[in-house]
Amino acid sequence: MILHLTPFIMLDGNAKEAIDFYVQSLDAKVVFIQTFGESPDATESSIPANARDRIAHSVLKVGQTELMVSDIFPGQPHPIGNQVTICITTSEKEQAEQLYDSLKHDGQVSLGLQETHFSPAYGMVIDKFGVVFQIFTARQR
């Protein structure tokens, strides 16, 4: 069982600019980057034109640490103060469910835990202290 915490920066349309900035200022290396338009289930009708070039997910390596950066989907609420979340990565779906259920207690669900093209169990919850957690289950290889 693997458990890993990663800072995750969520922006509103300027993630590419932020990634370029972190590459320059932190000597970050881009490990992975994908736009909403490049996702495997993206179609002309499922992704609006103003979302296609936004960053759906990226992973940067800064020294020995990972940093994730993405844009929100256009139209999603993005209150100031919620730009940085904590992404909890686990290798087990059952552990993801347990973490999700524990963190949502007296909190608020942002995205129900569900299977996606990139994870067998992914969801977002705001805990009772107002901290936003993303629960991400890595696919078994």
Side-chain angles (χ1 to χ4, degrees):
M1 174 170 48
I2 297 171
L3 189 64
H4 187 81
L5 300 178
T6 306
F8 198 124
I9 300 172
M10 298 181 71
L11 300 169
D12 191 7
N14 56 344
K16 178 66 174 124
E17 179 184 349
I19 291 166
D20 292 342
F21 176 76
Y22 298 137
V23 165
Q24 291 298 312
S25 63
L26 301 176
D27 195 31
K29 307 294 185 235
V30 177
V31 176
F32 177 82
I33 191 165
Q34 183 179 64
T35 65
F36 285 105
E38 294 169 333
S39 69
D41 46 351
T43 64
E44 287 279 325
S45 61
S46 69
I47 306 293
N50 65 338
R52 289 188 192 122
D53 292 332
R54 283 185 174 220
I55 304 300
H57 187 64
S58 72
V59 178
L60 308 178
K61 189 78 168 175
V62 182
Q64 297 300 308
T65 304
E66 286 187 343
L67 174 65
M68 296 179 181
V69 181
S70 75
D71 284 310
I72 61 167
F73 201 80
Q76 286 183 311
H78 189 63
I80 299 301
N82 286 350
Q83 290 86 346
V84 179
T85 65
I86 299 172
C87 182
I88 302 176
T89 301
T90 180
S91 60
E92 304 291 331
K93 186 176 178 181
E94 294 76 23
Q95 186 179 31
E97 292 166 350
Q98 178 186 27
L99 291 164
Y100 183 85
D101 289 340
S102 294
L103 288 168
K104 76 176 185 181
H105 181 73
D106 291 333
Q108 178 183 349
V109 170
S110 296
L111 178 67
L113 194 66
Q114 59 192 277
E115 184 172 350
T116 66
H117 74 274
F118 56 87
S119 174
Y122 175 78
M124 291 179 67
V125 64
I126 303 168
D127 74 6
K128 64 182 179 180
F129 303 104
V131 178
V132 180
F133 286 90
Q134 296 183 51
I135 310 300
F136 172 75
T137 309
R139 291 210 182 272
Q140 301 297 320
R141 296 181 191 228

